[in-house]
Amino acid sequence: MKFMAGEYDVAIIGAGHAGIEAALAAARLGCSAVIFTINLDWVGNMPCNPSIGGTAKGHLVREIDALGGQMGRAADANLLQSRMLNRGKGPAVHSLRAQIDRRAYSAYMKQTLEQTPGLAIKQAEIVDLTREADGRWRLTTRLEAQYLARAVVLATGTFLKGKIFVGDVSYDGGPDGMFAATSLSRALLALGVSLRRFKTGTPARVLRSSIRFDHLEAQPGEEPVVPFSFETIQPLENRLDCHITWTTPQTKQVILENLHRSPLYGGKIEGVGPRYCPSIEDKIVRFADKERHQVFIEPCGAGTDEMYLQGLSSSLPEDVQIRLLKTIPGLEEVQVMRPAYAIEYDCCDPLQLDATLEFLDLPGLYGAGQFNGSSGYEEAAAQGLVAGVNAARKIKGQPPLLLDRASSYIGTLIDDLVTKGCTDPYRMMTARSEYRLLLRQDNADERLTPKGREAGLVGDERWAHFCARQEAKAEERRRLHDTVLPPSEPLNRLLQDCGTTPVTSGIRLEDLLRRPQLDYARLEPVDTGRPPLDPLVREQVEVELKYEGYLRRQQAEVDEQRRLESRLLPENTDYAGIRGLRKEAQEKLARIRPRNIGQASRISGVSPADISVLIIWLSQQTGQNKPENMGV
């Protein structure tokens, strides 16, 4: 018998990485919130690789932290190993990646939810979702409990009609042996939500003691450990090593001989898989000339002997998996604890969403994470944070948090999803941003902490720390500008040793730091008046000096793009009535409903000529091109 179990401002369906950030944001902004999960023991689970960060993904984590989110702090608190990727390249692509204790991370996030005032946590499967006449949403659980909420965030991950594939075997299920959410899809379709099927997969987990580590290449963490969170002050340490091995010609042979048993190639899997994280059988077929593929063997936790085989995602039958693993150096005697599997699931077409992540035609309903067609924990958490903030701000009658492409990778991620859409699981990469030199991970706090403060997620203590760091940076820039070193034998000997030109007259410290051969460490012997400096401040100052000209040019591009972003398009514009717009442009603009000229210019199928027509039409509208209601 159905019964009313509670009323809330915001309800979040799913307690993965998107759901966690959405729930914490809504509750921290003063809303009453409730989060639902099928199993409370798997809050914040990492069903795939137990790592956080990586190329571009590390930028997202830093940005989440800068806005006041939780992922960075949780990663630092449960760290196993940390490395900075792309050290040999420019600062725009330096990306932090950390191996995480997956069960400890889950417990940390569960307790964080439990200790957040105004947030209720419920173990329940939501099987129905309907909209009331007053605009509120009614959620019904499998046990027939009903809840009312003014806003709902859908953060269902890979659970929505989840289906597991291992060779010839397939069954309804979620990741890691969990139940699938089998009924909610019907309710969403009834609401008019357009759904499609995507697919992802995960490798086998194996027993540490069955691995021949003497056959592997050790991959230790980097020292000193760089934290994700700008608020992590205590030193962090690397606790465990990762290892590297490679597939062999025998591995390839086993896979090719059994390709007909793969549901991926047998036509059983309908969902579209991730382009940039293919299964091992897909790699063997797509890269037929490649002799071997790299495999990373990584720990799942400090309190378990389970090891994760990154690079060996598969849906091949279990017996074939065991055979192929034993062809790989170090895994000759391996014992498989959990076989690899593929999972197919429902997700929405993100072109149905506004930049706030609210559905265009369903007020108060938001999407976040893999439900929106993305892949990855970091992409999910970023969207969850934005959806949770915007749900809360809408309820409070406040302007939304809108992040543009020039402000952040989060803004790029959301703009790509809601403006361009995706035909396969979307993964963030540095190449997706036009402004990646401006959007470095080291300056995420400078770019976004003021927005987090304005949104209400950055408290007084954190704001004071941020302001102090900004003042220290400004003071260091003044010192470098004002300090002139006269020519001297020690200075010129240092310059020659570093492969750069000696000086014959006085030179500012800032001009020395601009030289590519020099940095803070090399200048230490002659920079005798240097005060103690936060490593983050030192990094920011050095990057800004060395890349000053490039940064100026990129900022000019940003200013031009923001000029277009400031020209708002009226809501409910009748694009079919604008003379000169091509038919395709009319249809795309009417469907996506861009907020401004800048967003319209990025829609596939809208040409520069169409944009010119829009600008002329907009200039004829009285007061419609003023940058009002631009949000936080």
Side-chain angles (χ1 to χ4, degrees), residues 28 44 170 216 302 313 367 448 458 493 516 534 543 560 564 575 607:
R28 287 168 176 171
S170 63
L216 307 178
S313 173
L448 294 178
V458 173
R493 187 167 57 249
D534 184 322
V543 169
E560 173 59 22
L564 295 176
Y575 291 102
S607 70

Side-chain angles (χ1 to χ4, degrees), residues 466-486:
F466 168 76
C467 292
R469 196 158 51 236
Q470 292 304 108
E471 178 54 36
K473 177 182 169 183
E475 179 57 36
E476 176 64 3
R477 289 296 300 263
R478 286 192 290 268
R479 185 187 77 85
L480 293 172
H481 178 78
D482 295 341
T483 302
V484 178
L485 298 182

